[in-house]
Amino acid sequence: MGRRDVRRMLMGNKVPLWERPSVLVGLMIAVLVAGVGIGLVLGLWSGKSAKTQMAGAEQAPAPVISETTSPPPPPPPLPSANEEADDGRPLLQPPPPRPDPGSSEALEFGHASDVVSLVPAPAQPPASPEVKLPPAGAAVWLRNALPVPKTGGKPVIAIIIDDLGVDRRRSERMAQLKGPLTLSYMTYAEDVARQSHDARAHGHELMVHVPMQPQSASYDPGAEVLEVGLPPEEIRRRLDWGLSRFDGYVGINNHMGSRFTSDAAGMRVVMAELRRRGLAFIDSVTSEHTVGAETARHYGVPFAARHVFLDNDQGVAHVRAQLAKTEAYARKHGAAIAIGHPHDGTIEALAGWLPGLEARGFALVPVSTIIRMGNGTSSSP
């Protein structure tokens, strides 16, 4: 007799509850139901917690920016279509220049280079730029420009003479030469209004020679110089002073300025003012880092750039050699701009060079003619 039988005898042949099949099945069902119930309870609890967290996140207050907190700067404005137009693009683009040492401008730079090398230009001479006089209400530079000479399709040369007005005797001798030359008078010269008026009466075009900061502090550019770091209103005040000294000019070019013309911030102020006044800009190119061309184009200011310095060496022979290089450049590219100064050697060389220029196959023009050619404002004959 086994142990189970003995237990049953002692219990009066009664089967224990845990050994009854119906009881076992009931227990198993109870355990399963309990497990499902616990799972449902846990699931409901988790869902409620997640909803609570999401609601808290949605109702969280936005971060507070104090008055002292600077908001992020706005993106720079895109230039307008008018500012990006290439209407101010010159016939000959200013290069990475390396001027000759010797003149008041080129001394700042100190590199010995005879001619500034430009981007490729058309090998054939440009079409003759004869145009009618500008109508009333045209830009100031056009109203003050000399009539475009008849060129007959010849290569054109513009001669700009800087630093005028301070040395009256040599300035007057220069103004007596056969024109049209482009004469640029110093803003701080005495009696500059009368001197420039007389020069215009002799058939020359006028420009304002504006002092700008050189790289070296050892050079003195003169009174009311435009300097890097000046507030815009002070740059405008100094420029306004220079432009008020006389009238009848087509625009400005820089006196010295190797540092200032390389400063985009300062040049933007200058170009905005020239655009407002309807004036042109000629870059004397005293720095290989000049931003004159790109800022002038951006602001729609008519402009051109110097190609040859005539009198780094003031000797007559040197100036004549530089004039020959100017002719060679004009013959190759169709146009050339040379800059000289009122030195005895320059005056003598020009006096002998000018009368035979046409016979050698060139046309002498004011600088405004070359600007017109670049702006597309000229028309074929």
Side-chain angles (χ1 to χ4, degrees):
M1 183 179 295
R3 294 182 178 178
R4 181 176 298 179
D5 297 327
V6 173
R7 284 199 302 271
R8 286 178 178 177
M9 289 178 62
L10 293 174
M11 296 175 63
N13 280 331
K14 291 182 180 181
V15 179
L17 290 175
W18 57 85
E19 291 186 6
R20 296 178 185 177
S22 59
V23 173
L24 290 175
V25 172
L27 287 174
M28 291 175 64
I29 292 173
V31 170
L32 180 60
V33 171
V36 172
I38 292 173
L40 290 174
V41 171
L42 290 177
L44 291 173
W45 178 260
S46 299
K48 183 178 180 181
S49 298
K51 288 182 180 180
T52 303
Q53 290 176 0
M54 291 176 63
E58 292 174 354
Q59 297 173 4
V64 177
I65 300 177
S66 68
E67 294 181 358
T68 59
T69 302
S70 299
L78 294 175
S80 67
N82 291 334
E83 289 180 334
E84 287 299 326
D86 286 333
D87 293 340
R89 188 187 302 274
L91 173 70
L92 302 172
Q93 300 296 320
R98 293 186 175 275
D100 302 320
S103 72
S104 59
E105 287 87 357
L107 274 172
E108 304 177 54
F109 201 38
H111 294 290
S113 172
D114 291 332
V115 181
V116 170
S117 175
L118 299 186
V119 296
Q124 298 298 323
S128 178
E130 282 82 11
V131 295
K132 297 179 181 179
L133 289 174
V140 171
W141 77 276
L142 286 174
R143 293 205 305 267
N144 291 337
L146 292 179
V148 178
K150 293 183 181 299
T151 67
K154 298 174 182 175
V156 296
I157 295 176
I159 302 293
I160 300 175
I161 304 298
D162 286 346
D163 296 357
L164 291 168
V166 177
D167 185 332
R168 289 195 186 189
R169 183 177 65 85
R170 290 184 174 85
S171 297
E172 290 175 1
R173 286 176 60 197
M174 189 67 78
Q176 295 293 327
L177 294 177
K178 179 183 177 181
L181 302 175
T182 301
L183 304 185
S184 190
Y185 282 83
M186 297 297 310
T187 56
Y188 52 78
E190 294 182 4
D191 197 22
V192 67
R194 181 195 63 79
Q195 292 188 68
S196 60
H197 180 271
D198 291 348
R200 180 60 186 259
H202 279 92
H204 303 299
E205 194 163 78
L206 301 179
M207 294 194 72
V208 183
H209 204 35
V210 175
M212 299 186 187
Q213 184 180 7
Q215 286 289 354
S216 174
S218 63
Y219 297 120
D220 180 11
E224 300 293 335
V225 57
L226 307 186
E227 296 177 302
V228 173
L230 288 175
E233 58 271 18
E234 179 61 15
I235 293 176
R236 284 190 289 267
R237 187 198 68 76
R238 295 187 183 191
L239 183 59
D240 179 70
W241 178 85
L243 295 176
S244 68
R245 299 284 288 156
F246 62 97
D247 56 21
Y249 45 80
V250 298
I252 75 170
N253 70 324
N254 53 293
H255 172 61
M256 300 193 182
S258 56
R259 184 175 181 192
F260 188 84
T261 58
S262 302
D263 180 64
M267 289 297 287
R268 283 195 292 267
V269 177
V270 171
M271 293 303 171
E273 189 64 15
L274 293 181
R275 177 179 179 173
R276 186 182 71 83
R277 293 171 177 262
L279 297 173
F281 175 71
I282 302 295
D283 196 335
S284 300
V285 192
T286 60
S287 168
E288 60 186 349
H289 303 297
T290 177
V291 296
E294 59 192 80
T295 51
R297 187 182 302 114
H298 182 78
Y299 282 88
V301 173
F303 75 100
R306 184 273 310 168
H307 307 130
V308 181
F309 271 134
L310 296 177
D311 47 14
N312 314 315
D313 178 339
Q314 299 176 23
V316 177
H318 177 80
V319 178
R320 287 172 178 162
Q322 294 299 94
L323 287 168
K325 290 177 179 178
T326 303
E327 290 184 12
Y329 193 95
R331 186 176 291 110
K332 180 178 180 180
H333 298 291
I337 299 173
I339 288 182
H341 304 83
H343 305 312
D344 290 336
T346 307
I347 297 171
E348 181 179 345
L350 284 174
W353 178 78
L354 289 168
L357 186 62
E358 185 176 354
R360 293 192 299 275
F362 299 93
L364 183 69
V365 299
V367 76
S368 61
T369 295
I370 296 181
I371 298 175
R372 292 180 201 245
M373 292 161 61
N375 281 349
T377 56
S378 62
S379 59
S380 300

